[in-house]
Amino acid sequence: MAIEIVEGDITAQQVDVIVNAANSSLLGGGGVDGAIHRRGGPEILAECRKLRAGHYSRGLRVGQAVATTAGRLPARWVVHTVGPVWSATEDRSSLLADCHRNSLRVAASLGASTVAFPAISTGIYRWPLESAAEIALSTVTEELASDTSVTLVRFVLFGQAAYDIFRSRLP
Ligand code: APR
């Protein structure tokens, strides 16, 4: 069981699962979501549309996770999860933890062994990197200690500052 912290572009990671910081619509957006759909190609959005036409007709709830093809990305699947928007008045930490736990459980259900995460909720959703790093790393550490097929989790950070913060919080 290993956790890696790297600085780079999540769409270039050669892993079984790339986790997407999506929104409830599952129909794309900016940031990681935009990069994944741009580089992954239209097959990903086509599968997202099928999910919306079926079980996820009301969209994906915050903290939930669902898998699609990875299209042209160097991965086998994309697991889309919806992070909580930062709130200074409401503690949404458990929802951010759910994103990581549920993404790993979906990955394990597919038989994946390597998973790359972005820093979920820390961009457009404005979650402070320090807090997000603590929640992400503690949740992933706990999940890797459970009975899971996942043997490697790689956090892929955009920029030195985000990398340094996650690195400093690795247990
Ligand atoms: N690789 C790795 N990390 C990236 C990349 C990339 N290609 N692009 C952006 N990031 C980083 C950002 O710097 C930030 O630290 O990923 C983190 C998450 O930022 P966002 O992508 O903005 O995701 P989030 O804060 O969860 O907001 C989700 O943004 O893109 C929309 O559709 C998405 O509505 C949803 C919202």
Side-chain angles (χ1 to χ4, degrees), residues 8-10 21-23 28-33 35 118-125 156 158:
D9 183 339
I10 197 163
N23 59 57
V32 169
D33 203 1
I120 297 168
S121 287
T122 65
I124 292 169
Y125 286 175
V156 185
F158 234 32

Side-chain angles (χ1 to χ4, degrees), residues 72-90:
R72 300 181 200 133
L73 295 174
R76 296 174 66 188
W77 301 280
V78 170
V79 169
H80 307 262
T81 191
V82 182
V85 174
W86 165 253
S87 164
T89 55
E90 182 190 340

Side-chain angles (χ1 to χ4, degrees), residues 6-13 18-38 81-86 96 117-127 129 155-159 162 166:
V6 302
E7 197 277 316
D9 183 339
I10 197 163
T11 63
Q13 302 304 313
I18 290 174
V19 175
N20 181 23
N23 59 57
S24 294
S25 78
L26 283 175
L27 301 178
V32 169
D33 203 1
I36 283 176
H37 282 282
R38 235 183 348 269
T81 191
V82 182
V85 174
W86 165 253
L96 187 55
F117 277 97
I120 297 168
S121 287
T122 65
I124 292 169
Y125 286 175
R126 298 187 333 304
W127 201 288
L129 275 161
F155 284 95
V156 185
L157 288 315
F158 234 32
F166 268 69

Side-chain angles (χ1 to χ4, degrees), residues 104-152:
L104 286 176
R105 289 183 182 173
V106 168
S109 72
L110 295 165
S113 56
T114 57
V115 178
F117 277 97
I120 297 168
S121 287
T122 65
I124 292 169
Y125 286 175
R126 298 187 333 304
W127 201 288
L129 275 161
E130 296 77 2
S131 164
E134 282 164 20
I135 294 165
L137 289 166
S138 60
T139 306
V140 165
T141 300
E142 183 187 321
E143 197 60 24
L144 285 180
S146 72
D147 178 22
T148 173
S149 66
V150 177
T151 56
L152 170 68

Side-chain angles (χ1 to χ4, degrees), residues 86-103:
W86 165 253
S87 164
T89 55
E90 182 190 340
D91 180 3
R92 297 172 178 169
S93 307
S94 61
L95 288 170
L96 187 55
D98 287 347
C99 287
H100 293 84
R101 189 175 305 110
N102 290 330
S103 293

